[in-house]
Amino acid sequence: MAKYILAHDLGTSGNKATLFSEDGRLIKSEVFSYDTHYFNDTWVEQNADDWWDAVCKTSNSLITSTGVDPGEIGAISFSGQMMGCLCVDREGKPLRPSIIWADQRAQAQVAQIEAHMSQQEFYHIAGHRNTASYGVQKLMWIRDNEPDIYEQTYKVLNAKDYIVLKLTGKFYTEPSDANSMTCFDLNTFQWSEKILKYADIDPDKLPEIKPSTFIAGGVTARAAAETGLMEGTPVVMGGGDGVVANIGCGSIAPGKTYCCMGTSAWITTTAEKPIFDEQMRTVTWAHVIPGLYAPNGTMQYAGGSYNWLKNTICTMEAYKAEKEDTSPYLYMNELIAGSTVGANGTIFLPYLLGERAPRWNPDAKGAWIGMKPETTRGDILRSVLEGVTMNLSICLDILRTQIEIDEITVVGGGAKGAVWRQIMADVYNAKIQVPSLLEEGSSMGAAVIGGVGAGIFKDFTAIDRFINIESVHTPEPEAVKAYAPVKETFEECYFALENVFKKMAKRI
């Protein structure tokens, strides 16, 4: 009988392989990094064979270091970076490096689709705006600029789909990664004939869509020799990382919501139908649980703003922390706790890298507004945490127009600080739950998907075995009331500066 599940999380900086026991215990993790190639200003690529090398090395290392019998691994499953474009031939060989999610070269291809259908029409089919971030636009770029590669392309895959191919020899994808191509119809859970027609993409180049819990096949003899896994071990599709984390954070039923507070950040819930915003500020993903959806709002630079603050404004705290062998955030949080709700009238717009949700404005900039002689360091620091949280709360309010949300699980590096967690509780006006494992949402989600697919778990409620809630923050009524006008001012500040940002972008 199987005792373990192996989860691979193929991120942007590397692959993390994690071995879990059937009862939800994390046995061990191994990380192997790979390179990302940035060039031509907006081009970003990775070599798919680096992904495979990372999977082989981490799988072998985990098995060797833990002494686990490969025959006791009952399933392998995945969480993977989304919105990519890897062209492979009939033998599964990559024809060129993968164009990954961060690449923005396909602007002309976005315009080609816009010539035939409005953003609103596109959004109501795909659940996303038509932008250069997604897979089908990148494939169009390859067709227009590398026609020989396009002609040779048998299938277009995302990162975890390629690893499934390497392990099983099968060309598949599943709804969450299909959705990240944006030629997927959220209403039918199939490839969109309309979008493919206007994109002028051959639908035969897209892989067959299977459920996230589908067993793509068993590990082949060749893959077993390279990874150390046992031949025949079930390989379960898994899903795109942002959606797999829904499972890992317990967002498995309507209204169950989580917030990931990393360098970037997002709020995602689970719903029985897409949540379409009239202004298209939020997006909707196909959930990895069949028949459900994962409405979402993602911002560019959340924890990144706090890290920037540490590296630029808080060099004194960083120096002190280094001398005392502790974290600079410890001293920063002491200053923040000494400030007041609303940071003594200081507003921070957290748009250092432009913004996705809810602004969708690449020209937006970071800004402090409302500073005066009595503004303290604590006020400045607190305003950054409040600005990030208020930006995310706009996304949350959009989701709340169609679904009730009063409890949010928070993960990621930003969830480590109790001061920020209380700010979240007060700004969101929701109970904030903090699990003991803050960085394992995608890995735990992949493990549960693998367990359900392989029949180890009856259903997705198995995630309860994995999640241990360590602390809970409840909103303080007076703070919730005090934040209401601050949130209004935050919105007004952005719109007051929108044209200024546009002018500044033209001068740079």
Side-chain angles (χ1 to χ4, degrees), residues 265-268 281-283 295-299 357 392 395 399:
W266 56 88
I267 285 185
T268 308
R281 291 169 293 178
T282 55
V283 303
N296 158 281
T298 302
M299 68 176 290
L392 284 166
C395 301
L399 303 182

Side-chain angles (χ1 to χ4, degrees), residues 88-396:
V88 299
D89 64 17
R90 287 183 176 275
E91 283 68 52
K93 181 181 177 182
L95 296 167
R96 69 177 319 284
S98 175
I99 304 176
I100 71 166
W101 62 271
D103 191 285
Q104 293 292 311
R105 76 184 72 177
Q107 301 297 335
Q109 288 67 38
V110 170
Q112 288 174 31
I113 295 175
E114 280 188 345
H116 299 284
M117 62 193 310
S118 68
Q119 282 283 9
Q120 280 282 357
E121 185 180 6
F122 189 97
Y123 176 78
H124 279 83
I125 294 173
H128 297 254
R129 292 169 177 241
N130 167 25
T131 78
S133 296
Y134 298 101
V136 76
Q137 292 84 352
K138 292 170 175 136
L139 181 57
M140 291 168 66
W141 185 93
I142 291 172
R143 178 203 63 207
D144 295 343
N145 294 275
E146 299 174 354
D148 290 347
I149 298 292
Y150 182 78
E151 287 304 316
Q152 294 176 63
T153 298
Y154 175 59
K155 297 295 178 187
V156 180
L157 303 173
N158 267 288
K160 67 101 174 59
D161 302 330
Y162 179 67
I163 302 304
V164 169
L165 168 65
K166 293 288 286 185
L167 288 169
T168 67
K170 303 294 176 64
F171 298 85
Y172 294 127
T173 192
E174 47 65 57
S176 63
D177 259 340
N179 195 186
S180 85
M181 293 292 293
T182 61
C183 51
F184 174 87
D185 191 331
L186 272 184
N187 306 289
T188 64
F189 273 55
Q190 297 296 325
W191 298 117
S192 168
E193 293 181 8
K194 192 168 197 177
I195 292 176
L196 288 172
K197 175 186 173 184
Y198 292 143
D200 193 20
I201 289 295
D202 179 0
D204 289 341
K205 295 188 184 297
L206 301 171
E208 184 178 354
I209 301 170
K210 295 290 190 180
S212 299
T213 52
F214 178 73
I215 297 177
V219 174
T220 65
R222 180 175 178 178
E226 293 188 66
T227 60
L229 297 164
M230 178 169 281
E231 183 179 353
T233 304
V235 178
V236 179
M237 288 301 301
D241 52 9
V243 185
V244 170
N246 271 58
I247 306 297
C249 296
S251 179
I252 60 173
K256 293 286 187 180
T257 304
Y258 84 97
C259 173
C260 180
M261 193 69 81
T263 301
S264 63
W266 56 88
I267 285 185
T268 308
T269 192
T270 293
E272 293 177 327
K273 60 182 182 179
I275 293 179
F276 294 121
D277 175 51
E278 188 177 328
Q279 298 175 51
M280 302 183 292
R281 291 169 293 178
T282 55
V283 303
T284 296
W285 294 99
H287 208 294
V288 291
I289 299 178
L292 292 179
Y293 298 86
N296 158 281
T298 302
M299 68 176 290
Q300 289 279 76
Y301 213 53
S305 294
Y306 199 25
N307 187 59
W308 169 84
L309 190 71
K310 179 198 74 175
N311 293 334
T312 54
I313 306 297
C314 296
T315 52
M316 182 173 65
E317 285 78 11
Y319 174 74
K320 184 178 178 183
E322 186 177 0
K323 285 188 69 175
E324 299 185 8
D325 194 26
T326 188
S327 168
Y329 293 113
L330 181 69
Y331 303 114
M332 293 165 68
N333 287 337
E334 287 177 359
L335 289 169
I336 292 165
S339 181
T340 58
V341 169
N344 192 24
T346 307
I347 297 286
F348 179 72
L349 299 181
Y351 307 133
L352 280 75
L353 287 180
E355 191 52 284
R356 284 183 280 177
R359 310 303 184 193
W360 298 97
N361 182 1
D363 296 335
K365 300 288 183 290
W368 268 294
I369 303 160
M371 296 171 72
K372 44 194 177 291
E374 58 266 34
T375 298
T376 66
R377 284 174 66 79
D379 296 334
I380 292 170
L381 272 57
R382 186 181 184 95
S383 72
V384 172
L385 299 192
E386 290 183 340
V388 169
T389 310
M390 283 187 277
N391 192 71
L392 284 166
S393 77
I394 298 168
C395 301
L396 177 62

Side-chain angles (χ1 to χ4, degrees), residues 301-504:
Y301 213 53
S305 294
Y306 199 25
N307 187 59
W308 169 84
L309 190 71
K310 179 198 74 175
N311 293 334
T312 54
I313 306 297
C314 296
T315 52
M316 182 173 65
E317 285 78 11
Y319 174 74
K320 184 178 178 183
E322 186 177 0
K323 285 188 69 175
E324 299 185 8
D325 194 26
T326 188
S327 168
Y329 293 113
L330 181 69
Y331 303 114
M332 293 165 68
N333 287 337
E334 287 177 359
L335 289 169
I336 292 165
S339 181
T340 58
V341 169
N344 192 24
T346 307
I347 297 286
F348 179 72
L349 299 181
Y351 307 133
L352 280 75
L353 287 180
E355 191 52 284
R356 284 183 280 177
R359 310 303 184 193
W360 298 97
N361 182 1
D363 296 335
K365 300 288 183 290
W368 268 294
I369 303 160
M371 296 171 72
K372 44 194 177 291
E374 58 266 34
T375 298
T376 66
R377 284 174 66 79
D379 296 334
I380 292 170
L381 272 57
R382 186 181 184 95
S383 72
V384 172
L385 299 192
E386 290 183 340
V388 169
T389 310
M390 283 187 277
N391 192 71
L392 284 166
S393 77
I394 298 168
C395 301
L396 177 62
D397 289 344
I398 295 165
L399 303 182
R400 279 172 161 162
T401 62
Q402 296 186 40
I403 197 163
E404 187 175 333
I405 299 170
D406 52 22
E407 191 174 88
I408 300 171
T409 298
V410 179
V411 296
K416 293 178 181 178
V419 173
W420 199 350
R421 297 193 304 248
Q422 188 59 49
I423 289 172
M424 292 181 212
D426 297 335
V427 172
Y428 297 155
N429 191 17
K431 187 184 294 184
I432 297 297
Q433 298 189 131
V434 189
S436 55
L437 297 175
L438 296 177
E439 309 285 355
E440 301 295 340
S442 293
S443 296
M444 291 194 301
V448 171
I449 294 169
V452 172
I456 298 168
F457 303 140
K458 181 182 177 182
D459 56 35
F460 289 96
T461 59
I463 190 58
D464 294 340
R465 307 182 191 188
F466 293 73
I467 296 177
N468 174 42
I469 299 299
E470 204 166 63
S471 63
V472 177
H473 295 255
T474 57
E476 298 174 356
E478 287 302 311
V480 172
K481 184 178 179 181
Y483 270 124
V486 179
K487 288 168 71 173
E488 286 182 16
T489 305
F490 176 82
E491 277 278 70
E492 290 169 357
C493 286
Y494 167 75
F495 288 111
L497 289 173
E498 198 170 27
N499 285 332
V500 174
F501 294 148
K502 190 181 298 183
K503 290 178 182 177
M504 291 175 72

